[in-house]
Amino acid sequence: MAITEDRPLELTTGETVVRQPLGAFTRPRSTTGWRSWLTTIDHKKIGILYGGTALFFFFVGGVEALLIRMQLAQPDGQVLTAGQYNQVFTMHGTTMVFLVVMPLAAAFANYLMPLQIGARDVAFPRLNAFSYWTFLFGGIVLNSGWFLGGSPDNGWFNYAPNSGLAYSPGNGIDFWNMGLLIAGIASLVGAINLIVTALNMRAPGMTLMRMPVFTWMALVTQFLLLFAIPVLTVAQFLLMFERLFGAQFFDPAAGADPLLWQHLFWIFGHPEVYIMILPAFGIVSEIMPTFARKPLFGYPFMVFSGIAIGFMGWGVWAHHMFVSGLGPVSVAAFSLSTMFIAVPTGVKIFNWVGTLWGGKLKFSVPMAFAIALVVQFTVGGVSGVSHAVSPSDTQQTDTYYIVAHFHYVLFGGALFGMVGGLYYWWPKFFGRHLRDRLGWWHFWLMALGFNLTFGPMHIVGLQGMPRRTASYPEGMGWDFWNFIETVGAFLIGVSFLVFAYNIIVSRNNPPAEADPWDGRTLEWATSSPPPVHNFDEIPTVSHLDDWWHSKYRETDDHRLERVEGVKSYSSPEGPSEPPHLPSPSYWPFVLALGLPFVAYGLLYSYWLCGVGGVLILAAIYGWSLEPSVDPGAHAHHDEHEHGHGHDDHDADAEEPVAVATTPEETTE
Amino acid sequence: MIKHLRRLALLPLVLLLTSCAKDAPQDYLQPEGTYAKKIDTLQKPVFILAAIVAVFVFALVAYAMWRFRERKDDDPNELPAQMHGNTKLEIGWTILPALVLAAISAFTLPVVFELTDEPDEYLAVDVYGQKYWWGYEYPGEGNSAYGIEEAGIRTANELHIPVGVPVWLTLRSNDVIHSFWAPKLNGKRDVVPGRVHTWKLEAEEPGVFSGQCAEFCGTSHAFMRLKVVAHDQASWREWVEQMQAPLEEPEAGSLAAEGFELFAQKGCAGCHQVDGAYEEVAEDAPAAPNLTKLFTRDCFAGCIYDLTDRNELEAWLRDPQRKDGSLMVIGELTEDEIDRLYAYLETLR
């Protein structure tokens, strides 16, 4: 229900009567320029926003990593003071987990899920935009410490009671707390959105067991987020009340047990690592079949092992606490459960090998990254099994052996997988390929740099080098490998400079086809990039890998034959009837903007909270009251957003709105 | 591509081989204490098994990459058989790893309990962790078999133990979470404020074993180090005797006597106890090492400085904040005052 004027507006054509919403409730119309990005609710644009922002934060986290490595290149490093080092390593970890890997996964999930299930957008497009802006503001609040008197410096896990006011009197910890509370809202809301999308908006004929594996893994990830983020939120509220309002949740002097923080954090923290890896597993499960020219080996096992990981991931958290004083019974129980979570993960590794086996393997750049994930995740996986042996873990925990483990699974696994996904889907997202030769330079430098950095960490960790230490003395036997690790880290940096260069020069590449890799899933059944409405007609699905099945059929002698004349689901002419699409909105941005005001207000001045509160209230009203579809909007959609180079229409120009509102468009 | 990958696969092997370092005082792959050895008998076989599995996977991947690579003379229109899976195989590679893991668990569980079991006889030591040093108290009660008298012994930074005797540590924190770790003797155990944890050590040969705090505890976490000094029988008796021998009063009129006075005047006694001389500390004083037998030790300030080097102690007295976050905040001392204090501290043996 929008506020409208009663009298008709006069139009030059005089053709129809349009009731124009007033003022703040007018939906924005831009489809190009910075305003279109600010007000977009298109899942594809939001995916790109997530990806671009994540890559920016990757640069920030990467610089932090290089600072760490410079400090540790030699014994008794003097590059950073201990206080500075503690801020840098804290921000490195927090940034990479919350501002890089998670949003990169969100980028892929946002862009691909609707396409892969044959939908036009997610279930709640404005909520989707809100998620992105909230994530961005959370990242900004988290990083404001660099400019506002000191960043958080208590590790990404921020244990109590060192996180309390007594031992961390500045605002650093508060920036960690507020920034992540805000970013947590983004993840939670995004999870709800994507779950509803996957469960409700699949194309006709797409049963759950015909959903692409990436969509499946993304769906399991959203369920994990749905239940894990609130646990972190609770922990962070307890901490916030302790630091700001005098609560004593973690104060031993008041009778509290500091281990409460650890339990809450790791009940979130362990599912969190599966949140980070499952999307990359999904990506690899898409890339490998494409470049092996055969289906993913054991689709049902792959789906069910992903679900199993999702469930079992809740039962292992205290393996992060084996030396915290839990007592032998708890330690034994979690040791057992941790061992067994290796089973569904191992299944995936073997199924990927099975996908390669008997295939016709094309070693493209995306395929290289996918294979690297399989190899490197195996290393991280087996070292993980060694930590599951809790007596061994009493030696290994808090050493560089653990740092090696999680970098192998998160960087060697998740990040390699996601970079492979970028190379794979880049033509789909941007309509142009990334250059092959530069891609290979990127891959080899990254693989070499990565293994040189994190391989030796296994050794120094086993030689007793603890984590989170600002420097180490001479005479411990750690000097040589630390130096090598620093060299490796700079190689990684160089590899990403190559990547950045590739991105820049690839803007001049020729336009990409709709289906350049001969893919199997529906995103390849539409143009590159897809039109704003994704598909001219919603596909009807009759198989797993339905797009592949429409391109190939089995002959009498069981060979596959290419079907002639298969058309994609989008064409330059566009759909015969303009599809119903949601309109852009700026209220998601405004609502998200209120959050950092509240956060800073709690730290500096309650007036700021008031401003934030007003923004939030106004945005809620605006969001609820704006018309569901701008009456004039859909006339524009079939003129823009088809492939590249049609950016010469400015939708903000004074074009006559010649379409009458029809009754069904104003219903909620 | 495959050639390069094969070469890369050698890298972990190379790394493994070079890990047998000679001068790595915290290397727990070369354990020396009873419990560290027990852990190692579990750790090494699991490493070997893990390496076998990893190499097996690499071999499969490398082989598949070589055997099934697209060749130049392949018919581009010919597609490989579209295998969807093999249920028997998949069930197999679900069950087999589960069985292997079950076997590892069966070996693991008893060791979990062995590591936490209280021994029948032991030397009891109370360990206190605080920013950024370790304190130790040997209670008189229950420790008479090891020569400890009723008054007990208080020391810091270096934990002295007799060889061949289980040492039962009772671990407490005076501020935040720290973790006590002497890798060659045993794994680590956290000290958590408001909780009491127990852990044990046993050295099999005399020696000095390096360790450090292993749970991030603040600015100078990296500088909260420790040593465990294991003595043979004779040496242990000597150490206990020396630690329990009453202090000699500094000679009247000597530099040390003046230092003794300064120790109170300058407020050192407000935080640091010297048994038999300065027993009472200020109420709100942060925990500070007991200095009674300071010069029986050879490291200080969280075991990061060398007590046998006069310059280091003087530098510390000039500016204890040279260790970031140190809770020792004192006014400025003149060089004269430092000389006198040093002279007094040197008598604390």
Side-chain angles (χ1 to χ4, degrees), chain B residues 174-252:
Chain B
N174 280 326
D175 46 30
V176 299
I177 300 178
H178 303 271
S179 196
F180 182 85
W181 192 36
K184 279 189 178 284
L185 294 180
N186 199 357
K188 58 187 70 72
R189 182 54 100 231
D190 285 358
V191 304
V192 180
R195 292 170 68 101
V196 179
H197 295 160
T198 51
W199 198 224
K200 48 189 188 179
L201 297 176
E202 184 175 334
E204 298 185 346
E205 300 284 321
V208 177
F209 304 101
S210 172
Q212 60 190 109
C213 174
E215 184 57 68
F216 184 76
C217 55
T219 317
S220 283
H221 162 65
F223 307 112
M224 186 168 162
R225 304 189 192 137
L226 63 103
K227 279 195 241 203
V228 180
V229 182
H231 297 262
D232 64 34
Q233 265 217 349
S235 174
W236 170 254
R237 271 187 249 115
E238 266 179 47
W239 182 78
V240 170
E241 225 180 272
Q242 181 173 18
M243 293 301 285
Q244 293 184 138
L247 282 173
E248 280 183 23
E249 279 214 20
E251 223 181 277

Side-chain angles (χ1 to χ4, degrees), chain A residues 198 202-212 216 299 541 543-544:
Chain A
R202 282 165 283 136
M206 185 176 281
T207 60
L208 283 174
M209 293 306 272
R210 288 180 187 161
M211 265 191 349
W216 257 115
Y299 171 91
V541 166
H543 288 94
L544 171 65

